[in-house]
Amino acid sequence: MKNLLLATFLLVFVATAFVTILGIAGKLTIKDEYLNKLFYLLIIQSIASVIALFKKTSFFGDKSSIDTLVLGCWWQFVLYRRNNALSFFEISYSEDQQQLVLHGRSFNSKGEPFARWWSVCAAINAATLELRYFWKGDHEAEEEDFSGVGSYRFKHTEKGTVVKEATGWYLSGNIDQLSVTGKQKVEVLRASENHCKIMLSADNYKDQSELVQKVLSDYRTQFSLEIR
């Protein structure tokens, strides 16, 4: 049964890729709206296949090795966008789900709450430290939920030391309708112990807002100095 499901998935993946490539190359006439859906379906299938492969081949390693690599609290800085400017998120390991889970909160450029988001499926390649995930979110100011896919590539450090930064991207839209757009590049930095304590507190909103504004301001100052 597993082999049949795998063969079916590969067949659908290859067929989608073949039709999409023909459409992009102009060899096959496809309306733009359908071509866009095929393109993003291909992205989603690629992410799903990578997650499945990582889990199938036990790239997780043992849990203790993951603890010293990517588990913990992180700041995510969204490049080239002002509305959803910053996220604070935590990566943990769920014994029930037997996988990594991400839970985060996003803030706008003024440090105000923008959205909440969480992973619905995630996996990491312990060799390359590349994490792929599907996510869903709840916007603070809108009724409709949204979802997407994303990826982080954490930077290797010396053996035995904690990973402190990563680069990545995410797409948002509606994964259930195979519609995700607007690729956003991000930079990720590990949050300090004090930052984690403040941001994980359930009733410390004033200090959290002030911290978010400070972290965002410090990052922008540093980034501006680097690009001069």
Side-chain angles (χ1 to χ4, degrees):
M1 178 61 72
K2 290 183 177 180
N3 290 335
L4 178 59
L5 289 174
L6 177 61
T8 302
F9 176 82
L10 291 175
L11 181 61
V12 173
F13 179 80
V14 171
T16 303
F18 182 69
V19 173
T20 303
I21 292 173
L22 288 179
I24 293 175
K27 301 296 184 181
L28 185 64
T29 302
I30 304 176
K31 291 183 178 181
D32 289 342
E33 58 180 304
Y34 297 121
L35 185 59
N36 288 336
K37 286 187 178 294
L38 282 172
F39 178 73
Y40 290 115
L41 174 60
L42 187 60
I43 293 177
I44 291 175
Q45 287 179 334
S46 299
I47 295 289
S49 63
V50 170
I51 290 176
L53 176 62
F54 288 176
K55 290 185 174 182
K56 180 73 173 179
T57 52
S58 299
F59 280 146
F60 273 110
D62 57 59
K63 182 177 179 294
S64 61
S65 67
I66 300 175
D67 283 342
T68 61
L69 295 177
V70 303
L71 298 190
C73 301
W74 299 85
W75 291 107
Q76 173 180 277
F77 302 90
V78 181
L79 306 180
Y80 316 119
R81 171 175 281 193
R82 297 300 179 188
N83 290 331
N84 179 12
L86 174 71
S87 280
F88 174 85
F89 68 97
E90 183 179 17
I91 301 177
S92 58
Y93 185 83
S94 170
E95 295 289 353
D96 293 336
Q97 299 180 42
Q98 290 293 296
Q99 66 173 342
L100 292 178
V101 293
L102 290 73
H103 286 91
R105 288 183 290 158
S106 298
F107 303 86
N108 63 21
S109 58
K110 297 180 181 179
E112 300 168 340
F114 183 81
R116 293 180 179 270
W117 59 273
W118 56 91
S119 66
V120 291
C121 187
I124 189 170
N125 182 330
T128 63
L129 293 188
E130 185 173 5
L131 188 153
R132 300 289 182 94
Y133 63 98
F134 288 96
W135 62 270
K136 289 190 175 183
D138 182 19
H139 200 292
E140 293 285 348
E142 297 180 10
E143 293 184 0
E144 292 187 3
D145 296 337
F146 53 101
S147 55
V149 296
S151 174
Y152 297 130
R153 180 177 287 273
F154 294 90
K155 294 185 179 180
H156 283 273
T157 57
E158 294 182 5
K159 188 175 181 179
T161 60
V162 177
V163 177
K164 295 183 178 180
E165 56 184 313
T167 57
W169 54 266
Y170 70 87
L171 295 167
S172 59
N174 189 318
I175 55 177
D176 295 328
Q177 297 179 8
L178 306 179
S179 175
V180 286
T181 59
K183 185 176 183 179
Q184 293 294 321
K185 293 183 178 180
V186 300
E187 183 170 309
V188 176
L189 300 177
R190 185 177 287 277
S192 68
E193 184 176 343
N194 185 52
H195 287 182
C196 295
K197 182 179 179 180
I198 293 174
M199 295 303 295
L200 293 177
S201 174
D203 56 356
N204 199 3
Y205 300 112
K206 182 177 182 295
D207 288 346
Q208 290 176 6
S209 177
E210 292 177 353
L211 177 58
V212 167
Q213 294 178 57
K214 183 180 184 305
V215 169
L216 188 56
S217 176
D218 290 347
Y219 175 78
R220 285 176 173 170
T221 299
Q222 179 182 357
F223 183 72
S224 296
L225 290 173
E226 289 178 351
I227 63 176
R228 286 178 181 174

